[in-house]
Amino acid sequence: MAKSYDVVVIGAGPGGYVAAIRASQLGLSTVCIDAWSNAAGKPSLGGTCLNVGCIPSKALLESSENYERALHKFADHGIGITGVTLDVAKMLARKDKIVDTFTTGIALLFKKNKVDSMHGFGRFAGKNGDRYVIEVTGSGAPESIEARHVIVATGSLARDLPGVTIDNKVVCDNMGALSFGEVPKRLGVIGAGVIGVEMGSVWRRLGSEVTILEALPSFLAAADEQVAKEAFRQFTGPLGIKIYTGAKVESVETKANSVTVAYANREGNRHVAEFDRLVVAIGRVPNTRNLNADVVGLKLDSRGYVEVDGQCRTNLPNVFAIGDVVRGPMLAHKSSEEGVAVAETIAGQVSHINLDTIPWVIYTSPEIAWVGRTEKELKAQGIPYRAGQFPFIASGRARALGETAGFVKMLAHAETDRILGVHIIGPFASELISEAVVAMEFGASSEDIARIVHAHPSLSEAMHEAALGVDKRTLNI
Ligand code: FAD
Ligand code: AMP
C-alpha cells in the first residue's frame, strides 16, 4: 500500500524545503520529493538557489571582489601587494564546499524536523478519494505516495534562446557560468538582468573582457531609473563591462572553443562579435515539465506558471504552489516565505505574504537593493510623493570603506508621509534595505525613520539622511 502523508512537497528549493520543515513543525506528517543531483550524481537538496544560484554566485562574487581589491584597491590604503595570483580551481572548490555544506545541511534539517525525504522525480498520478497520488521515479522502481495536501515547489529553469544549444562548455546558462575552469579572455553575456550582470561582474573582475547584449532599450528596467543610470555608469566605467542595450541577437554560431554572435544594435546596424565563452541569461521560466498537471486538472496560465490566488491556493482543493513556479518575483526569500505561509494555512492558521514589501537585491559592486515602488510607478499611478536622497560620498563610513559610489533614495507619500519605496545603490545595500522593509511592513512614515537614532559612523546614516531629505532637512549635505 502507498505510504500516506498529510503533506507532500514537490521540490526542495528554498520554497519547498522550508515549507516541508514548517509543515512538520506544525505536526503534519510531511515528505519532500526532490530530483536534483549534483555533478557527482549525488542527491543535493536546496534547488537552484543552493546548487546553481544564490549561494554559489555570492561565493564567486566575494572571491572575485577580493581579487579586485588586492589588485586595485589595497594600494589606496597604503597596503602594497606584489605577486597577486589567481587560482581559479581553488576559488571554484571553495564555492563548491560552501554549496556542499548547505545542501547536506538541509538533509540534517529534514532529519531534525522529522521530514521524510525522497530523491526522485515527482508527478501527479491521480487521486484516491480525497488524497492525491504522486508517483516518484528515482533510481529504483517507481514508488507511489499519497497525501491530503500537495505543495508544488518545482521552481524555474533558464529560459532558452531559440536556436541556441546550451552545452555548458562554450555556451552556458547559469550552471556553466559558475564553473568556468579558467578565466575566458572574451566573455559574452546575453541579457543584462540580475544574473547577467552578476556573472559578468565575477568574470570581469577575474580578468575577462565582458560584453553584455541586452534586447531592451533600457538597462535594469525593473529598477528605479536613477539607480539604473548610476549602475550603468559604474559597470561600464570603473568596472569596465561593455553593455549594449537595444541589441537584437540574430544568430549564435558555436565552434569548439569560441562562439560568434551576430546582433543588430539599437540603430539597426549589424555587428558580429566573437567570444571564448557565452552566457545566456535572458530570464527564467516556471518549471512544470513532466509534472502531469493535466492528470489532475491543475491549472497553468498561458506562460506556464501554476495559477494561484493570494494565499498560493491553486484551482484544486488542498493543492498549493509556491516560489518561482508561481507569479511574483523569482527570489529565494519570496519562495521561502510563501512556503511558511502555505504550511501554516494547511495547519489551519491565518497566514499571508505581502508581495509589496519583498526586497530585491543585485549583488554587484556597488550593490543595488530596493523595496516598494519606483518613481516611475508612482508617477504612472498618479500617487503624489516626496523624495529624499543622500549620497554615500557624504558618509564617513563609506569614505572609510573606500566605497563612495551611489546613494539612498526614499519615496514617501506627499500627504501621509508613508514610505512607498526605498532605492539603494552602494556598499552593503543588501543589508541596508532591511531597515526599509521593516519600516514599510510597519507602515512607517519617513518622519519615523528621521526620528530614529542611527549609529555613527555607519552606512545606515545614509538611510536616516534620505528620510530627513524627504522633508528637505538633510544635515550633512
Ligand atoms: P528552485 O530553487 O528552482 O527549486 C526547485 C527544486 O525542485 C529543484 O531542486 C528541482 O530539481 C526540483 N524539482 C522540479 N521539478 C520536480 C519534480 N517534478 N519532482 C521532484 N523535484 C522537482 N534569488 C535570490 O533571492 N537571491 C539571489 O542572490 C539569487 N541569485 C541567483 C543567482 C542565479 C545564478 C540564479 C539562477 C538564481 C538566483 N536567485 C536568487 C533566484 C533563486 O535561485 C530562485 O528564486 C529560487 O531558487 C526559487 O526557489 P524555488 O524553491 O521556487 O525553486
Ligand atoms: P532577468 O529576468 O533578471 O534574469 O533578466 C533577463 C534579461 O534578459 C532581461 O533584461 C531581458 O530583457 C533580457 N533578454 C530577454 N531576451 C533577450 C534576448 N533575446 N537578447 C538579449 N536580452 C534578452
Side-chain angles (χ1 to χ4, degrees), residues 4 15 33 48 55 64 91 100 138 151 190 207 209 231 292 302 351 395 414 445 463:
S4 189
I33 305 164
T48 304
I55 299 300
S64 62
M91 199 177 273
D100 200 49
I151 303 176
I190 304 183
E209 288 163 23
N292 278 358
S302 57
S351 202
S395 150
S445 61
M463 182 76 75

Side-chain angles (χ1 to χ4, degrees), residues 3-278:
K3 199 159 176 201
S4 189
Y5 291 90
D6 293 324
V7 180
V8 56
V9 183
I10 308 178
Y17 90 77
V18 167
I21 289 174
R22 187 69 190 121
S24 201
Q25 283 176 348
L26 290 164
L28 301 159
S29 63
T30 306
V31 60
C32 185
I33 305 164
D34 190 79
W36 199 287
S37 298
N38 63 18
K42 295 223 174 84
S44 188
L45 299 168
T48 304
C49 171
L50 273 81
N51 287 287
V52 292
C54 326
I55 299 300
S57 60
K58 265 78 263 178
L60 290 187
L61 278 155
E62 192 59 33
S63 295
S64 62
E65 201 160 346
N66 280 337
Y67 182 61
E68 167 102 346
R69 283 186 190 120
L71 280 182
H72 304 297
K73 296 193 174 168
F74 282 174
D76 201 37
H77 293 258
I79 305 169
I81 313 181
T82 48
V84 177
T85 59
L86 177 62
D87 184 340
V88 175
K90 194 163 177 186
M91 199 177 273
L92 295 185
R94 174 183 179 274
K95 171 212 60 161
D96 291 341
K97 189 153 179 264
I98 293 170
V99 168
D100 200 49
T101 306
F102 279 103
T103 54
T104 50
I106 295 174
L108 296 176
L109 288 174
F110 277 175
K111 258 199 201 114
K112 181 182 155 207
N113 287 284
K114 301 187 173 49
V115 173
D116 280 358
S117 179
M118 289 177 83
H119 181 63
F121 190 90
R123 55 171 67 81
F124 285 102
K127 280 193 89 172
N128 181 11
D130 66 350
R131 294 177 168 270
Y132 291 89
V133 182
I134 306 292
E135 186 192 73
V136 185
T137 319
S139 47
E143 272 182 76
S144 281
I145 55 165
E146 292 183 8
R148 194 179 302 281
H149 301 92
V150 182
I151 303 176
V152 178
T154 49
S156 62
L157 301 167
R159 184 195 299 277
D160 287 332
L161 186 59
V164 177
T165 307
I166 303 289
D167 58 20
N168 273 328
K169 289 190 178 77
V170 177
V171 181
C172 303
D173 57 18
N174 55 297
M175 220 180 282
L178 289 162
S179 297
F180 293 143
E182 59 191 33
V183 180
K185 189 169 172 327
R186 300 161 304 174
L187 176 66
V189 179
I190 304 183
V194 178
I195 296 170
V197 294
E198 288 190 1
M199 291 296 94
S201 299
V202 165
W203 295 105
R204 172 67 201 102
R205 291 198 284 249
L206 297 179
S208 299
E209 288 163 23
V210 176
T211 305
I212 305 185
L213 303 174
E214 165 61 47
L216 290 178
S218 54
F219 178 61
L220 291 181
D224 175 82
E225 273 181 12
Q226 208 182 338
V227 167
K229 208 166 148 200
E230 178 63 15
F232 190 84
R233 219 168 60 83
Q234 293 296 328
F235 299 166
T236 55
L239 184 58
I241 295 179
K242 290 187 194 130
I243 302 174
Y244 299 113
T245 55
K248 304 266 176 308
V249 173
E250 291 171 348
S251 67
V252 173
E253 197 190 318
T254 312
K255 296 173 208 127
N257 269 312
S258 67
V259 51
T260 307
V261 179
Y263 65 95
N265 71 5
R266 54 164 66 232
E267 286 80 35
N269 300 322
R270 193 164 195 270
H271 285 264
V272 177
E274 174 124 341
F275 304 112
D276 303 298
R277 296 282 181 276
L278 181 70

Side-chain angles (χ1 to χ4, degrees), residues 247-477:
K248 304 266 176 308
V249 173
E250 291 171 348
S251 67
V252 173
E253 197 190 318
T254 312
K255 296 173 208 127
N257 269 312
S258 67
V259 51
T260 307
V261 179
Y263 65 95
N265 71 5
R266 54 164 66 232
E267 286 80 35
N269 300 322
R270 193 164 195 270
H271 285 264
V272 177
E274 174 124 341
F275 304 112
D276 303 298
R277 296 282 181 276
L278 181 70
V279 176
V280 179
I282 58 167
R284 298 185 60 83
V285 291
N287 176 18
T288 49
R289 205 163 55 180
N290 301 326
L291 189 63
N292 278 358
D294 48 338
V295 165
V296 283
L298 178 66
K299 207 164 158 198
L300 310 183
D301 72 13
S302 57
R303 293 184 302 159
Y305 289 92
V306 178
E307 252 186 40
V308 288
D309 65 10
Q311 286 187 304
C312 295
R313 292 179 193 277
T314 69
N315 65 311
L316 300 176
N318 299 333
V319 178
F320 298 78
I322 58 170
D324 281 10
V325 79
V326 304
R327 85 287 173 263
M330 286 188 171
L331 293 166
H333 40 285
K334 177 259 193 186
S335 305
S336 298
E337 289 310 315
E338 285 182 337
V340 168
V342 162
E344 291 178 351
T345 302
I346 292 172
Q349 298 186 357
V350 177
S351 202
H352 96 296
I353 165 140
N354 184 1
L355 291 180
D356 293 335
T357 50
I358 290 177
W360 292 67
V361 181
I362 308 179
Y363 292 83
T364 42
S365 180
E367 288 187 351
I368 297 167
W370 73 89
V371 58
R373 280 173 275 186
T374 62
E375 287 198 61
K376 199 173 171 185
E377 284 166 341
L378 292 174
K379 278 181 192 145
Q381 291 161 11
I383 298 171
Y385 67 92
R386 295 190 299 166
Q389 192 167 319
F390 190 78
F392 283 108
I393 199 152
S395 150
R397 188 69 199 280
R399 286 259 181 187
L401 285 170
E403 301 291 344
T404 52
F407 54 84
V408 176
K409 176 157 85 178
M410 185 175 287
L411 307 173
H413 196 286
E415 285 139 27
T416 66
D417 194 34
R418 192 180 177 129
I419 301 170
L420 302 173
V422 173
H423 304 270
I424 309 174
I425 175 164
F428 295 102
S430 57
E431 303 294 336
L432 293 174
I433 199 66
S434 285
E435 180 179 7
V437 176
V438 172
M440 286 182 67
E441 274 290 345
F442 280 79
S445 61
S446 77
E447 185 69 15
D448 288 324
I449 300 295
R451 291 194 177 275
I452 289 172
V453 180
H454 289 68
H456 174 75
S458 72
L459 296 170
S460 70
E461 287 172 298
M463 182 76 75
H464 185 223
E465 290 275 1
L468 287 166
V470 171
D471 194 36
K472 300 210 177 349
R473 48 182 227 258
T474 48
L475 295 167
N476 285 288
I477 196 140

